[in-house]
Amino acid sequence: KESRDEKFLWQHMDPATSTVTASYCNQMMNHQNMMVGPCKPVNMFIHELLPDVQAVCFQGNVPCKNRQPNCYQSSSKMHIIDCHLKKGSKYPKYNYQTQQLQKPIIVACECVQYETVHFDGSV
Ligand code: ATP
């Protein structure tokens, strides 16, 4: 079974794409097979190097949306890509809106090495 930090990597990390086009979210959300069953209405991809994202676990501690205490806000803005399911989009042709943002991110961290496990938001 995949670990939570592995799931975080495929769901939220994309350090590689050089040009983000309007069809980015359709491609990424398709590719990552999140459209099986109920599709994910919102997903963020982080366009930064992994060590920079993992380092957020040691930056500003903030309360999580679910009130757990293990969330951390990045001290600098990060390049993120917001994928939002468009209204009226139905199986099997899910259509996502792609929006590029530069914002501090908030992630939840867990485990011995304190790895990112959940994307809590951006501010
Ligand atoms: P994501 O939330 O990253 O978009 P997801 O919606 O598929 O992905 P979640 O269940 O929200 O999955 O979170 C991923 C994992 O993070 C879960 O295993 C959850 O238990 C864990 N987790 C740890 N700490 C928190 C927290 N403070 N808030 C939410 N999830 C957390």
Side-chain angles (χ1 to χ4, degrees):
K1 192 179 174 282
E2 70 180 347
S3 64
R4 288 171 186 186
D5 60 301
E6 279 164 357
K7 188 179 169 204
F8 180 89
L9 295 188
W10 68 256
Q11 279 207 123
H12 299 295
M13 286 302 300
D14 178 29
T17 306
S18 54
T19 318
V20 176
T21 62
S23 61
Y24 175 90
C25 287
N26 284 345
Q27 287 167 11
M28 292 295 283
M29 298 299 280
N30 240 320
H31 176 69
Q32 304 211 359
N33 212 2
M34 286 184 221
M35 300 201 216
V36 180
C39 58
K40 220 175 163 183
V42 180
N43 191 59
M44 299 283 184
F45 289 99
I46 310 170
H47 199 51
E48 301 285 348
L49 298 176
L50 184 59
D52 296 334
V53 175
Q54 297 290 14
V56 177
C57 293
F58 301 93
Q59 295 169 16
N61 189 207
V62 293
C64 307
K65 284 178 180 158
N66 70 1
R67 297 183 182 181
Q68 274 184 256
N70 62 326
C71 281
Y72 296 84
Q73 182 174 325
S74 62
S75 47
S76 54
K77 287 182 182 176
M78 295 207 159
H79 183 188
I80 53 179
I81 302 142
D82 179 346
C83 296
H84 255 83
L85 193 65
K86 285 187 186 169
K87 259 194 195 151
S89 176
K90 286 200 186 96
Y91 177 88
K93 271 200 100 183
Y94 294 123
N95 212 350
Y96 284 87
Q97 188 185 333
T98 301
Q99 193 182 12
Q100 295 195 64
L101 305 166
Q102 287 272 142
K103 288 170 149 195
I105 64 165
I106 298 172
V107 291
C109 304
E110 265 187 353
C111 302
V112 187
Q113 289 170 292
Y114 226 47
E115 285 151 336
T116 44
V117 290
H118 156 82
F119 189 98
D120 207 52
S122 58
V123 287

